[in-house]
Short mmCIF file of all heavy atoms in Angstrom, two decimals:
data_model
loop_
_atom_site.label_atom_id
_atom_site.label_comp_id
_atom_site.label_asym_id
_atom_site.label_seq_id
_atom_site.Cartn_x
_atom_site.Cartn_y
_atom_site.Cartn_z
N PRO B 233 -20.58 16.81 -15.58
CA PRO B 233 -20.41 15.56 -14.88
C PRO B 233 -20.46 15.79 -13.45
O PRO B 233 -20.17 16.78 -12.86
CB PRO B 233 -19.01 15.19 -15.32
CG PRO B 233 -18.27 16.39 -15.59
CD PRO B 233 -19.36 17.32 -16.16
N LYS B 234 -20.94 14.82 -12.72
CA LYS B 234 -21.16 14.85 -11.23
C LYS B 234 -20.71 13.54 -10.67
O LYS B 234 -21.49 12.51 -10.83
CB LYS B 234 -22.47 15.30 -10.85
CG LYS B 234 -22.45 16.08 -9.48
CD LYS B 234 -23.78 16.64 -9.09
CE LYS B 234 -23.65 16.98 -7.70
NZ LYS B 234 -24.76 16.58 -6.86
N THR B 235 -19.60 13.41 -10.01
CA THR B 235 -19.10 12.17 -9.36
C THR B 235 -18.09 12.44 -8.36
O THR B 235 -17.35 13.39 -8.47
CB THR B 235 -18.64 11.24 -10.41
OG1 THR B 235 -18.08 9.99 -9.75
CG2 THR B 235 -17.51 11.77 -11.26
N ILE B 236 -17.98 11.57 -7.33
CA ILE B 236 -16.95 11.60 -6.33
C ILE B 236 -15.62 11.27 -7.02
O ILE B 236 -14.53 11.65 -6.45
CB ILE B 236 -17.25 10.60 -5.15
CG1 ILE B 236 -16.21 10.92 -4.06
CG2 ILE B 236 -17.20 9.28 -5.61
CD1 ILE B 236 -16.56 10.05 -2.82
N ALA B 237 -15.69 10.59 -8.13
CA ALA B 237 -14.40 10.16 -8.76
C ALA B 237 -13.84 11.33 -9.66
O ALA B 237 -14.00 11.36 -10.77
CB ALA B 237 -14.68 8.93 -9.65
N ASP B 238 -13.17 12.24 -8.92
CA ASP B 238 -12.84 13.51 -9.55
C ASP B 238 -11.73 13.39 -10.59
O ASP B 238 -11.49 14.35 -11.34
CB ASP B 238 -12.46 14.60 -8.58
CG ASP B 238 -11.29 14.09 -7.64
OD1 ASP B 238 -10.82 12.95 -7.85
OD2 ASP B 238 -10.75 14.90 -6.86
N GLY B 239 -11.14 12.20 -10.80
CA GLY B 239 -10.20 11.98 -11.85
C GLY B 239 -10.88 11.70 -13.18
O GLY B 239 -10.15 11.61 -14.20
N LEU B 240 -12.19 11.46 -13.12
CA LEU B 240 -12.87 10.93 -14.30
C LEU B 240 -13.87 11.93 -14.92
O LEU B 240 -14.86 11.46 -15.52
CB LEU B 240 -13.55 9.60 -13.93
CG LEU B 240 -12.68 8.59 -13.34
CD1 LEU B 240 -13.46 7.31 -12.98
CD2 LEU B 240 -11.45 8.20 -14.21
N LEU B 241 -13.65 13.24 -14.70
CA LEU B 241 -14.56 14.32 -15.15
C LEU B 241 -14.53 14.71 -16.56
O LEU B 241 -15.42 15.18 -17.15
CB LEU B 241 -14.56 15.50 -14.27
CG LEU B 241 -14.81 15.23 -12.74
CD1 LEU B 241 -14.41 16.50 -11.92
CD2 LEU B 241 -16.38 15.04 -12.57
N THR B 242 -13.34 14.40 -17.16
CA THR B 242 -13.01 15.04 -18.49
C THR B 242 -13.57 14.18 -19.66
O THR B 242 -13.96 13.06 -19.47
CB THR B 242 -11.51 15.09 -18.72
OG1 THR B 242 -10.95 13.78 -18.26
CG2 THR B 242 -10.91 16.15 -17.84
N SER B 243 -13.63 14.83 -20.83
CA SER B 243 -14.09 14.20 -22.00
C SER B 243 -12.97 13.36 -22.63
O SER B 243 -11.79 13.66 -22.43
CB SER B 243 -14.44 15.30 -23.13
OG SER B 243 -15.46 16.09 -22.58
N LEU B 244 -13.29 12.45 -23.44
CA LEU B 244 -12.26 11.58 -24.10
C LEU B 244 -11.45 12.41 -25.11
O LEU B 244 -12.02 13.28 -25.81
CB LEU B 244 -12.91 10.45 -24.94
CG LEU B 244 -13.54 9.27 -24.15
CD1 LEU B 244 -14.20 8.31 -25.08
CD2 LEU B 244 -12.44 8.56 -23.37
N GLY B 245 -10.18 12.13 -25.14
CA GLY B 245 -9.32 12.76 -26.20
C GLY B 245 -9.60 12.07 -27.59
O GLY B 245 -10.08 10.82 -27.60
N GLU B 246 -9.21 12.74 -28.64
CA GLU B 246 -9.46 12.17 -30.03
C GLU B 246 -8.68 10.89 -30.28
O GLU B 246 -9.26 9.87 -30.73
CB GLU B 246 -9.03 13.25 -31.00
CG GLU B 246 -9.38 12.97 -32.47
CD GLU B 246 -8.73 14.09 -33.35
OE1 GLU B 246 -7.83 14.78 -32.94
OE2 GLU B 246 -9.13 14.03 -34.58
N ARG B 247 -7.32 11.01 -29.96
CA ARG B 247 -6.52 9.75 -30.16
C ARG B 247 -7.07 8.63 -29.20
O ARG B 247 -7.12 7.50 -29.63
CB ARG B 247 -5.07 9.95 -29.70
CG ARG B 247 -4.23 10.68 -30.69
CD ARG B 247 -2.84 10.87 -30.14
NE ARG B 247 -2.10 11.66 -31.03
CZ ARG B 247 -2.13 12.97 -31.24
NH1 ARG B 247 -2.98 13.71 -30.45
NH2 ARG B 247 -1.35 13.55 -32.12
N ASN B 248 -7.36 9.00 -27.95
CA ASN B 248 -7.85 8.00 -26.97
C ASN B 248 -9.14 7.33 -27.50
O ASN B 248 -9.30 6.06 -27.37
CB ASN B 248 -8.11 8.64 -25.63
CG ASN B 248 -6.95 9.56 -25.23
OD1 ASN B 248 -7.02 10.81 -25.44
ND2 ASN B 248 -5.84 9.03 -24.72
N PHE B 249 -10.04 8.07 -28.03
CA PHE B 249 -11.34 7.55 -28.47
C PHE B 249 -11.03 6.52 -29.65
O PHE B 249 -11.68 5.42 -29.70
CB PHE B 249 -12.30 8.69 -28.87
CG PHE B 249 -13.68 8.17 -29.18
CD1 PHE B 249 -14.30 7.22 -28.49
CD2 PHE B 249 -14.31 8.62 -30.32
CE1 PHE B 249 -15.57 6.71 -28.78
CE2 PHE B 249 -15.59 8.27 -30.67
CZ PHE B 249 -16.21 7.26 -29.93
N ALA B 250 -10.12 6.95 -30.58
CA ALA B 250 -9.90 6.09 -31.69
C ALA B 250 -9.37 4.71 -31.17
O ALA B 250 -9.73 3.59 -31.68
CB ALA B 250 -8.91 6.71 -32.60
N ILE B 251 -8.42 4.71 -30.29
CA ILE B 251 -7.90 3.48 -29.78
C ILE B 251 -8.94 2.63 -28.97
O ILE B 251 -9.02 1.46 -29.15
CB ILE B 251 -6.67 3.76 -28.85
CG1 ILE B 251 -5.55 4.46 -29.62
CG2 ILE B 251 -6.21 2.53 -28.14
CD1 ILE B 251 -4.45 5.15 -28.72
N ILE B 252 -9.76 3.36 -28.21
CA ILE B 252 -10.78 2.69 -27.45
C ILE B 252 -11.76 2.01 -28.31
O ILE B 252 -12.17 0.81 -28.08
CB ILE B 252 -11.50 3.72 -26.50
CG1 ILE B 252 -10.49 4.10 -25.38
CG2 ILE B 252 -12.72 3.13 -25.85
CD1 ILE B 252 -10.93 5.34 -24.50
N LEU B 253 -12.28 2.70 -29.37
CA LEU B 253 -13.20 2.14 -30.32
C LEU B 253 -12.58 0.81 -30.92
O LEU B 253 -13.35 -0.25 -31.16
CB LEU B 253 -13.48 3.09 -31.41
CG LEU B 253 -14.73 3.98 -31.17
CD1 LEU B 253 -15.06 4.87 -32.38
CD2 LEU B 253 -16.01 3.22 -30.64
N ASP B 254 -11.23 0.88 -31.22
CA ASP B 254 -10.67 -0.24 -31.92
C ASP B 254 -10.48 -1.40 -31.02
O ASP B 254 -10.51 -2.59 -31.45
CB ASP B 254 -9.27 0.29 -32.43
CG ASP B 254 -8.48 -0.80 -33.16
OD1 ASP B 254 -9.17 -1.52 -33.92
OD2 ASP B 254 -7.22 -0.85 -33.08
N LYS B 255 -10.07 -1.14 -29.68
CA LYS B 255 -9.51 -2.25 -28.86
C LYS B 255 -10.23 -2.60 -27.65
O LYS B 255 -10.03 -3.66 -27.03
CB LYS B 255 -8.09 -1.92 -28.52
CG LYS B 255 -7.08 -1.74 -29.66
CD LYS B 255 -5.71 -1.60 -29.17
CE LYS B 255 -4.76 -1.18 -30.34
NZ LYS B 255 -4.63 -2.19 -31.35
N VAL B 256 -11.11 -1.74 -27.11
CA VAL B 256 -11.80 -2.05 -25.89
C VAL B 256 -13.06 -2.88 -26.08
O VAL B 256 -13.85 -2.70 -27.03
CB VAL B 256 -12.09 -0.69 -25.13
CG1 VAL B 256 -13.11 -0.93 -23.88
CG2 VAL B 256 -10.86 -0.04 -24.72
N ASP B 257 -13.36 -3.92 -25.26
CA ASP B 257 -14.51 -4.82 -25.43
C ASP B 257 -15.73 -4.23 -24.87
O ASP B 257 -16.81 -4.51 -25.44
CB ASP B 257 -14.18 -6.08 -24.82
CG ASP B 257 -13.02 -6.85 -25.57
OD1 ASP B 257 -13.25 -7.32 -26.65
OD2 ASP B 257 -11.86 -6.80 -25.04
N ASP B 258 -15.68 -3.47 -23.82
CA ASP B 258 -16.98 -2.97 -23.27
C ASP B 258 -16.63 -1.83 -22.27
O ASP B 258 -15.55 -1.76 -21.67
CB ASP B 258 -17.76 -4.07 -22.57
CG ASP B 258 -19.27 -3.75 -22.32
OD1 ASP B 258 -19.66 -2.68 -22.88
OD2 ASP B 258 -20.01 -4.61 -21.79
N ILE B 259 -17.61 -0.97 -22.10
CA ILE B 259 -17.58 0.13 -20.98
C ILE B 259 -18.90 0.01 -20.31
O ILE B 259 -19.93 -0.04 -20.86
CB ILE B 259 -17.45 1.53 -21.54
CG1 ILE B 259 -16.13 1.68 -22.45
CG2 ILE B 259 -17.39 2.58 -20.53
CD1 ILE B 259 -15.75 3.03 -23.05
N VAL B 260 -18.74 -0.09 -18.93
CA VAL B 260 -19.97 -0.16 -18.03
C VAL B 260 -19.87 0.96 -17.14
O VAL B 260 -18.88 1.52 -16.72
CB VAL B 260 -20.04 -1.46 -17.35
CG1 VAL B 260 -20.21 -2.63 -18.34
CG2 VAL B 260 -18.94 -1.72 -16.41
N THR B 261 -21.02 1.34 -16.52
CA THR B 261 -21.10 2.38 -15.55
C THR B 261 -21.56 1.93 -14.18
O THR B 261 -22.14 0.89 -14.05
CB THR B 261 -22.14 3.53 -15.96
OG1 THR B 261 -23.45 2.93 -16.05
CG2 THR B 261 -21.79 4.10 -17.35
N VAL B 262 -21.23 2.77 -13.12
CA VAL B 262 -21.50 2.29 -11.78
C VAL B 262 -22.04 3.53 -11.05
O VAL B 262 -21.90 4.64 -11.35
CB VAL B 262 -20.28 1.86 -11.05
CG1 VAL B 262 -19.65 0.59 -11.73
CG2 VAL B 262 -19.21 2.95 -10.87
N SER B 263 -22.72 3.17 -9.87
CA SER B 263 -23.34 4.22 -9.00
C SER B 263 -22.29 4.80 -8.05
O SER B 263 -21.23 4.14 -7.81
CB SER B 263 -24.45 3.65 -8.20
OG SER B 263 -23.94 2.75 -7.23
N GLU B 264 -22.53 5.95 -7.48
CA GLU B 264 -21.76 6.59 -6.58
C GLU B 264 -21.61 5.72 -5.25
O GLU B 264 -20.55 5.56 -4.74
CB GLU B 264 -22.21 8.01 -6.15
CG GLU B 264 -22.25 9.00 -7.34
CD GLU B 264 -20.81 9.31 -7.78
OE1 GLU B 264 -20.15 10.02 -7.03
OE2 GLU B 264 -20.45 8.95 -8.93
N ASP B 265 -22.75 5.11 -4.83
CA ASP B 265 -22.63 4.31 -3.72
C ASP B 265 -21.73 3.21 -3.91
O ASP B 265 -21.02 2.76 -2.91
CB ASP B 265 -24.05 3.74 -3.39
CG ASP B 265 -25.04 4.76 -2.73
OD1 ASP B 265 -24.51 5.93 -2.46
OD2 ASP B 265 -26.19 4.58 -2.53
N SER B 266 -21.78 2.61 -5.04
CA SER B 266 -20.85 1.39 -5.25
C SER B 266 -19.37 1.85 -5.25
O SER B 266 -18.49 1.17 -4.81
CB SER B 266 -21.12 0.68 -6.57
OG SER B 266 -22.49 0.31 -6.66
N ILE B 267 -19.09 3.03 -5.70
CA ILE B 267 -17.75 3.56 -5.81
C ILE B 267 -17.29 3.64 -4.30
O ILE B 267 -16.19 3.19 -4.00
CB ILE B 267 -17.64 4.88 -6.46
CG1 ILE B 267 -18.00 4.79 -7.95
CG2 ILE B 267 -16.24 5.52 -6.31
CD1 ILE B 267 -18.11 6.07 -8.73
N VAL B 268 -18.04 4.25 -3.40
CA VAL B 268 -17.71 4.40 -2.06
C VAL B 268 -17.52 3.02 -1.37
O VAL B 268 -16.57 2.83 -0.60
CB VAL B 268 -18.72 5.34 -1.29
CG1 VAL B 268 -18.35 5.36 0.19
CG2 VAL B 268 -18.71 6.71 -1.88
N GLU B 269 -18.47 2.13 -1.59
CA GLU B 269 -18.36 0.82 -1.05
C GLU B 269 -17.10 0.09 -1.51
O GLU B 269 -16.32 -0.56 -0.65
CB GLU B 269 -19.61 -0.01 -1.52
CG GLU B 269 -19.59 -1.39 -0.80
CD GLU B 269 -20.66 -2.30 -1.40
OE1 GLU B 269 -21.55 -1.83 -2.24
OE2 GLU B 269 -20.61 -3.55 -1.15
N ALA B 270 -16.70 0.21 -2.78
CA ALA B 270 -15.61 -0.46 -3.31
C ALA B 270 -14.25 0.16 -2.74
O ALA B 270 -13.28 -0.53 -2.42
CB ALA B 270 -15.52 -0.41 -4.86
N MET B 271 -14.31 1.52 -2.61
CA MET B 271 -13.16 2.27 -2.08
C MET B 271 -12.89 1.79 -0.65
O MET B 271 -11.78 1.52 -0.29
CB MET B 271 -13.48 3.73 -2.03
CG MET B 271 -12.40 4.59 -1.63
SD MET B 271 -12.80 6.34 -1.91
CE MET B 271 -11.94 7.13 -0.60
N ARG B 272 -14.00 1.71 0.12
CA ARG B 272 -13.79 1.35 1.58
C ARG B 272 -13.33 -0.10 1.67
O ARG B 272 -12.52 -0.52 2.49
CB ARG B 272 -15.15 1.52 2.26
CG ARG B 272 -14.97 1.19 3.77
CD ARG B 272 -16.10 1.69 4.67
NE ARG B 272 -15.69 1.47 5.99
CZ ARG B 272 -16.08 2.22 7.07
NH1 ARG B 272 -16.94 3.18 6.90
NH2 ARG B 272 -15.68 1.97 8.30
N MET B 273 -13.87 -0.95 0.84
CA MET B 273 -13.45 -2.37 0.83
C MET B 273 -11.94 -2.51 0.57
O MET B 273 -11.17 -3.23 1.20
CB MET B 273 -14.21 -3.10 -0.26
CG MET B 273 -13.94 -4.65 -0.23
SD MET B 273 -14.93 -5.61 -1.48
CE MET B 273 -16.50 -5.52 -0.63
N ILE B 274 -11.38 -1.78 -0.40
CA ILE B 274 -9.96 -1.74 -0.73
C ILE B 274 -9.09 -1.16 0.47
O ILE B 274 -8.15 -1.71 0.83
CB ILE B 274 -9.66 -1.14 -2.10
CG1 ILE B 274 -10.23 -2.00 -3.18
CG2 ILE B 274 -8.15 -0.80 -2.24
CD1 ILE B 274 -10.16 -1.41 -4.61
N TRP B 275 -9.57 -0.10 0.97
CA TRP B 275 -8.85 0.53 2.14
C TRP B 275 -8.86 -0.50 3.25
O TRP B 275 -7.80 -0.72 3.91
CB TRP B 275 -9.58 1.84 2.65
CG TRP B 275 -9.35 3.05 1.91
CD1 TRP B 275 -9.47 3.21 0.52
CD2 TRP B 275 -9.01 4.34 2.44
NE1 TRP B 275 -9.33 4.57 0.22
CE2 TRP B 275 -8.96 5.22 1.38
CE3 TRP B 275 -8.92 4.81 3.70
CZ2 TRP B 275 -8.58 6.53 1.48
CZ3 TRP B 275 -8.54 6.16 3.88
CH2 TRP B 275 -8.46 7.06 2.78
N GLU B 276 -10.02 -1.06 3.64
CA GLU B 276 -10.05 -1.89 4.84
C GLU B 276 -9.42 -3.24 4.64
O GLU B 276 -8.72 -3.81 5.57
CB GLU B 276 -11.59 -2.18 5.23
CG GLU B 276 -12.17 -0.95 5.91
CD GLU B 276 -13.57 -1.24 6.44
OE1 GLU B 276 -14.25 -2.20 6.04
OE2 GLU B 276 -14.02 -0.48 7.30
N ARG B 277 -9.52 -3.84 3.50
CA ARG B 277 -9.06 -5.23 3.42
C ARG B 277 -7.62 -5.24 2.71
O ARG B 277 -6.93 -6.17 2.94
CB ARG B 277 -9.97 -6.06 2.52
CG ARG B 277 -11.27 -6.17 3.32
CD ARG B 277 -12.35 -6.92 2.57
NE ARG B 277 -13.62 -6.86 3.29
CZ ARG B 277 -14.17 -7.82 3.97
NH1 ARG B 277 -13.54 -8.97 4.07
NH2 ARG B 277 -15.31 -7.66 4.58
N MET B 278 -7.22 -4.25 1.94
CA MET B 278 -5.86 -4.21 1.37
C MET B 278 -4.98 -3.34 2.00
O MET B 278 -3.81 -3.38 1.67
CB MET B 278 -6.07 -4.01 -0.17
CG MET B 278 -6.85 -5.04 -0.87
SD MET B 278 -6.95 -4.87 -2.55
CE MET B 278 -5.24 -4.96 -3.07
N LYS B 279 -5.38 -2.40 2.87
CA LYS B 279 -4.51 -1.54 3.61
C LYS B 279 -3.79 -0.53 2.75
O LYS B 279 -2.64 -0.21 3.03
CB LYS B 279 -3.57 -2.27 4.55
CG LYS B 279 -4.25 -3.31 5.33
CD LYS B 279 -5.26 -2.86 6.29
CE LYS B 279 -5.85 -4.02 7.02
NZ LYS B 279 -7.12 -3.45 7.81
N ILE B 280 -4.42 -0.18 1.59
CA ILE B 280 -3.87 0.85 0.77
C ILE B 280 -4.86 1.96 0.54
O ILE B 280 -6.04 1.74 0.53
CB ILE B 280 -3.37 0.29 -0.57
CG1 ILE B 280 -4.56 -0.46 -1.29
CG2 ILE B 280 -2.19 -0.60 -0.40
CD1 ILE B 280 -4.17 -0.89 -2.75
N ILE B 281 -4.26 3.23 0.30
CA ILE B 281 -5.13 4.35 0.10
C ILE B 281 -5.26 4.54 -1.43
O ILE B 281 -4.39 4.74 -2.15
CB ILE B 281 -4.51 5.59 0.76
CG1 ILE B 281 -4.53 5.36 2.22
CG2 ILE B 281 -5.17 6.86 0.29
CD1 ILE B 281 -3.79 6.42 3.06
N ILE B 282 -6.55 4.45 -1.86
CA ILE B 282 -6.83 4.80 -3.18
C ILE B 282 -7.84 5.94 -3.30
O ILE B 282 -8.60 6.17 -2.35
CB ILE B 282 -7.48 3.59 -3.94
CG1 ILE B 282 -8.77 3.10 -3.25
CG2 ILE B 282 -6.53 2.39 -4.15
CD1 ILE B 282 -9.61 2.23 -4.11
N GLU B 283 -7.67 6.71 -4.36
CA GLU B 283 -8.77 7.79 -4.52
C GLU B 283 -9.93 7.14 -5.17
O GLU B 283 -9.91 6.08 -5.72
CB GLU B 283 -8.08 8.88 -5.49
CG GLU B 283 -7.66 8.40 -6.79
CD GLU B 283 -6.78 9.38 -7.55
OE1 GLU B 283 -5.80 9.87 -6.94
OE2 GLU B 283 -7.04 9.70 -8.70
N PRO B 284 -11.15 7.85 -5.13
CA PRO B 284 -12.36 7.28 -5.65
C PRO B 284 -12.29 6.74 -7.07
O PRO B 284 -12.88 5.68 -7.30
CB PRO B 284 -13.39 8.41 -5.51
CG PRO B 284 -12.79 9.31 -4.41
CD PRO B 284 -11.40 9.19 -4.50
N SER B 285 -11.52 7.39 -7.97
CA SER B 285 -11.49 6.96 -9.33
C SER B 285 -10.89 5.49 -9.44
O SER B 285 -11.30 4.70 -10.29
CB SER B 285 -10.49 7.87 -10.16
OG SER B 285 -11.02 9.20 -10.03
N SER B 286 -10.03 5.14 -8.62
CA SER B 286 -9.38 3.89 -8.54
C SER B 286 -10.40 2.77 -8.23
O SER B 286 -10.18 1.54 -8.40
CB SER B 286 -8.25 3.78 -7.54
OG SER B 286 -7.19 4.62 -7.86
N ALA B 287 -11.46 3.13 -7.51
CA ALA B 287 -12.45 2.16 -6.98
C ALA B 287 -13.43 1.69 -7.99
O ALA B 287 -14.25 0.76 -7.75
CB ALA B 287 -13.13 2.65 -5.76
#
Side-chain angles (χ1 to χ4, degrees):
Chain B
K234 209 173 162 228
T235 173
I236 188 178
D238 59 354
L240 308 179
L241 296 168
T242 45
S243 303
L244 286 176
E246 191 189 9
R247 281 180 183 77
N248 313 98
F249 186 44
I251 297 166
I252 289 166
L253 272 185
D254 182 39
K255 298 186 189 296
V256 170
D257 292 285
D258 201 3
I259 300 185
V260 299
T261 62
V262 301
S263 71
E264 296 293 293
D265 284 353
S266 301
I267 296 172
V268 173
E269 183 190 351
M271 180 174 155
R272 182 162 190 154
M273 187 178 283
I274 288 172
W275 281 50
E276 284 188 339
R277 295 176 189 256
M278 298 181 62
K279 311 302 177 189
I280 54 175
I281 290 174
I282 58 165
E283 59 194 50
S285 304
S286 296

